[in-house]
């Protein structure tokens, strides 16, 4: 890639090492840059545009609402928000929902619910169990909850009230329960997203549910990335029989429009009342119109089942084409959260993919992460696999 980073204006804070390409339009599974080059999108804005780009029904919903009314604040009733709340709580098996603008804000709400819940049980310093390798956001509370030291570095002092356990390790949580009487909740991702598409053992969520029930804790799931059809169910926990107490989601809920949601049930649903939390923009007319259109497509069009089928197709093709490749450590996925983990760092594949007209991501230094559209064609799915395999095969040097 040509190095044109110097062309980014200094007025933009350099919080991202941006790839030197500027997209100007999208259509379905493809985006187009300012030079007219087409790219197959295997990242969808980091699991956001699950229905692809410029989806006509989503675009129409946004345009109609924008031409009518976009915002009045949560001081007044918002019919589109109430409709969306009714639909999401029914889908999730929850009682109510708080709307915000991002996944980090949704997770902030889960943390506030847990602390209020703890104080309601006379726990003066409530603790939340979180997992190593997790990612929950970049606000002060969520970066503290995140199990990645790089995210936290330089922002000390971090917040108190978090207890860390290895991901996918039930025994460690049992030990915490035996030794820390201030714990009131567990916050965990059903699948680690930024951590490299790490899928826990069967029974992990069920075991956490059991521990929480025995100790009176809340089970809180971060479904910011796994929700909204990404894993082949509306929410990832719906692959199991359990129901959490709190669920945070965002990303794919708006298909590019910024909306987050924190859903709760039972005692957790009683914690946030007037004056305890809020959001100026959260759940306004525009974003809820977009999200309702997304829910229409996800629940009426068989797209979630399609995501499950495509995921199986792509995993099978990866396994066939990469069989015997010494660079490959593991191929894994759930629905359209897919990972090819290599035995060596591979960050350079992101730039090589851009040159080849493909958008991918590398997580945890060695994991090629794919989060493609849920509704892409078989041909695009096959092409994406083949391009990734070709990129891995073309890596310089001998395989480790």
């Amino acid at each position: 890639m040509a190095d044109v980073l110097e062309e980014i204006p200094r007025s933009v804070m350099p919080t991202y090492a941006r790839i030197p390409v500027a997209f100007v339009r999208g259509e379905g599974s493809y985006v187009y840059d300012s030079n007219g080059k087409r790219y197959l999108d295997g990242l969808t804005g980091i699991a956001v545009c699950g229905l692809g780009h410029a989806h006509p029904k989503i675009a129409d919903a946004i345009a109609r609402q924008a031409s009518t009314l976009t915002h009045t604040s949560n001081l007044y009733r918002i019919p589109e928000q109430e409709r969306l709340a009714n639909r999401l709580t029914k889908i999730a098996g929850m009682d109510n929902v708080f709307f915000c603008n991002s996944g980090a804000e949704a997770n902030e709400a889960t943390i506030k619910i847990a602390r209020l819940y703890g104080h309601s049980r006379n726990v003066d310093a409530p603790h939340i169990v979180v997992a190593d390798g997790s990612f929950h956001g970049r606000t002060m509370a969520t970066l503290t909850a995140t199990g990645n030291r790089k995210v936290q570095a330089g922002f000390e002092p971090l917040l108190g009230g978090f207890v860390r356990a290895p991901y996918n390790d039930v025994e460690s949580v049992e030990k915490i329960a035996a030794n820390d009487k201030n714990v009131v909740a567990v916050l965990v991702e059903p699948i680690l997203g930024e951590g490299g598409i790490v899928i826990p053992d069967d029974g992990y969520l069920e075991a956490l549910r059991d521990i929480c029930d025995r100790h009176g804790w809340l089970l809180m799931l971060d479904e910011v990335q796994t929700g909204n059809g990404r894993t082949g169910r509306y929410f990832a926990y719906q692959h199991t029989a359990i129901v959490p107490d709190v669920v945070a989601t965002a990303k794919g809920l708006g298909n590019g429009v910024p909306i987050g949601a924190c859903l709760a049930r039972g005692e957790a649903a009683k914690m946030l009342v007037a004056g305890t939390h809020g959001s100026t923009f959260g759940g306004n007319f525009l974003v809820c119109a977009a999200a309702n259109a997304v829910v229409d497509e996800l629940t009426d069009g068989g797209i979630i089942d399609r995501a499950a089928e495509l995921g199986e197709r792509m995993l099978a093709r990866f396994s066939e084409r990469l069989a015997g490749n010494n660079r490959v450590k593991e191929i894994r996925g759930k629905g359209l959260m897919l990972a090819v983990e290599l035995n060596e760092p591979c960050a350079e594949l992101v730039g090589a993919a851009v040159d080849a007209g493909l958008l991918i991501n590398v997580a945890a230094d060695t994991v090629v992460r794919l989060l493609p559209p849920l509704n892409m064609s078989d041909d695009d799915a096959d092409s994406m696999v083949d391009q990734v395999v070709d990129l891995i095969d073309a890596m310089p040097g001998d395989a480790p």
Side-chain angles (χ1 to χ4, degrees), residues 15-229:
T15 55
Y16 286 84
R18 298 177 192 268
I19 295 170
V21 58
F23 299 115
V24 295
R25 70 181 183 92
E27 182 178 359
S29 299
Y30 292 88
V31 289
Y32 297 79
D33 70 16
S34 52
N35 296 315
K37 181 178 176 179
R38 187 177 79 160
Y39 302 76
L40 180 58
D41 192 351
L43 190 57
T44 58
I46 319 178
V48 169
C49 297
L51 298 175
H53 300 282
H55 189 288
K57 292 183 179 179
I58 313 302
D60 181 62
I62 293 171
R64 281 188 287 106
Q65 191 61 56
S67 66
T68 305
L69 185 64
T70 60
H71 180 82
T72 59
S73 88
N74 283 292
L75 296 176
Y76 313 98
R77 292 184 63 175
I78 304 172
E80 282 287 339
Q81 182 189 109
E82 294 172 10
R83 177 173 176 245
L84 181 60
N86 288 336
R87 301 174 80 189
L88 288 179
T89 52
K90 183 177 180 180
I91 290 168
M94 296 285 129
D95 293 337
N96 57 23
V97 55
F98 170 79
F99 289 107
C100 50
N101 311 291
S102 68
E105 290 178 62
N107 282 324
E108 281 277 342
T110 72
I111 293 166
K112 292 182 75 171
I113 286 172
R115 290 197 171 187
L116 286 169
Y117 175 75
H119 287 292
S120 76
R121 295 166 60 88
N122 298 315
V123 178
D124 291 334
H127 291 175
I128 302 170
V129 178
V130 293
D132 293 337
S134 63
F135 181 84
H136 298 296
R138 293 183 182 273
T139 63
M140 282 304 302
T142 57
L143 72 82
T144 303
T146 290
N148 182 337
R149 180 58 191 152
K150 288 196 298 185
V151 173
Q152 300 167 345
F155 296 105
E156 297 84 358
L158 302 178
L159 299 183
F162 296 96
V163 183
R164 305 192 185 281
Y167 188 69
N168 194 30
D169 187 336
V170 175
E171 184 178 351
S172 68
V173 182
E174 292 278 20
K175 289 180 180 178
I176 291 170
N179 293 289
D180 189 340
K181 302 309 178 185
N182 287 326
V183 172
V184 298
V186 174
L187 172 61
V188 68
E189 296 171 83
I191 296 171
L192 296 185
E194 299 297 317
I197 315 296
V198 179
I199 302 169
D201 295 336
D202 291 341
Y204 177 60
L205 292 183
E206 293 91 334
L208 293 180
R209 175 75 275 176
D210 178 64
I211 293 171
C212 289
D213 289 343
R214 283 191 278 114
H215 294 281
W217 300 351
L218 301 179
L219 177 59
M220 311 193 301
L221 297 184
D222 176 349
E223 293 241 18
V224 170
Q225 189 166 140
T226 55
N228 305 294

Side-chain angles (χ1 to χ4, degrees), residues 196-283:
I197 315 296
V198 179
I199 302 169
D201 295 336
D202 291 341
Y204 177 60
L205 292 183
E206 293 91 334
L208 293 180
R209 175 75 275 176
D210 178 64
I211 293 171
C212 289
D213 289 343
R214 283 191 278 114
H215 294 281
W217 300 351
L218 301 179
L219 177 59
M220 311 193 301
L221 297 184
D222 176 349
E223 293 241 18
V224 170
Q225 189 166 140
T226 55
N228 305 294
R230 176 57 56 185
T231 70
R233 295 286 190 275
Y234 198 98
F235 292 105
Y237 69 83
Q238 293 171 333
H239 290 281
T240 76
I242 68 110
V243 181
D245 300 295
V246 185
V247 181
T249 194
K251 287 190 181 288
L253 180 57
N255 208 62
V257 172
I259 181 172
C262 176
L263 299 105
R265 72 180 180 101
E267 288 300 308
K270 302 174 184 177
M271 294 298 109
L272 294 181
V273 297
T276 57
H277 201 35
S279 171
T280 298
F281 294 106

